[in-house]
Amino acid sequence: MSEQTRGQGAGTGRRVVVVGAGMAGVQTAVALREQGFTGTVTLIGAEPHQPYDRPPLSKAVLLGKAEGSAFDVDFEALGIDVRLGREVVGVRPADHELDTAEGPVPYDVLVLATGAEPIRLPGADGIPGVHLLRTLDDAERLRPVLARQHDIVVVGAGWIGAEFATAAREAGCAVTVVEAADRPFAGALPAEVAAPMAAWYAAAGATLRTHARVAHVEPGEVVLDDGTRLPAGAVVVGIGARPATAWLTGSGIELGAHREVLADDHLRTSVPDVYAVGDCASFPSGRYGERLLVHHWDNALQGPRTVAANIVGETPAVYDPVPYFWSEQFGRFVQYAGHHASADTTLWRGDPATPAWSVCWLRGDRLVALLAVGRPRDLAQGRRLIESATPMDPVLLADPSLPMKAAIA
């Protein structure tokens, strides 16, 4: 916080502009009001739709069980000025002005919450039948594809690929998932943990092809680099996402190796009076001793409270959460808490061939991460144990018949 904005309490007369009307942006605007901010709050979104939640897009909205997933927020009652369908093209921190296609927007404090954008499959732009699944419009375009029960090829066996394949099978489509790596979730989970999850695809009637790279896409077909041709009435690309920060070029706001905004532990950027939150920003974690870039819903829910506290309050609030996410796929509820990169021990709770099991990661005798499949109580207790850094007894922890809290050393 700069001298210009420090110590102005609840912010009478100050103007906060939030760029991005997804979860992180909406929650920032709401949290400001909840924490007593009385100045102007402006929320700018690129899409024309009322701000909406994304997780239902790959589930209820996609399958036609819901028309949308708009946030239940009365922006007018909260005094939040929502400007939709507005493209932001740049920011000039020295002038405290945001540049939009409709002209400049002045701010006293700016919050970057532009999220992430899907990585496109090289060479597939403009080919009929190739889809992404990130926005409400994407889901609306895919819904009739599922209804017609096309043969579908999903490129990428990560979280979004698995969730879309689940929905497509539920709709009665023939589904083939192609993954360049040797296993699903290769970028997210160790091989020994991801390996049992590969069997979920066949059990659900989907085909998983690993070590499979897409050479190119033709109308109605996906051609792999080994010459295999897969029929594809539709192709859904789920090969990851990158922070939506291209518009910050030339702003002086420091970006990281993944083009994410480098925020500090208070979610402040490298320039005064600008914060960053959600998928577009990384932050240093004292808990894990490294910088984290978290592309998950819970981060976009929790981070805004810290941003709002730092804008409103006199005492800086530090952001150091236990990352958390969940995924519903192939009839299983998968939850993950923590960050396992620094772990030195892996413990299994239960048999991964069964419907319910967990994996625990420890550093020394402290739990640092947990993956729970069909064991929500493990997740709830494990998340609290990670937060408290409680010493654990590994022998007791590995016994799936015991609640995790019974394994406290």
Side-chain angles (χ1 to χ4, degrees), residues 228-244:
T228 301
R229 291 179 173 269
L230 303 174
V235 179
V236 177
V237 180
I239 55 176
R242 60 169 61 94

Side-chain angles (χ1 to χ4, degrees), residues 170-191:
E170 185 176 334
C173 300
V175 178
T176 300
V177 181
V178 297
E179 169 58 51
D182 61 349
R183 62 188 188 276
F185 315 111
L189 296 172

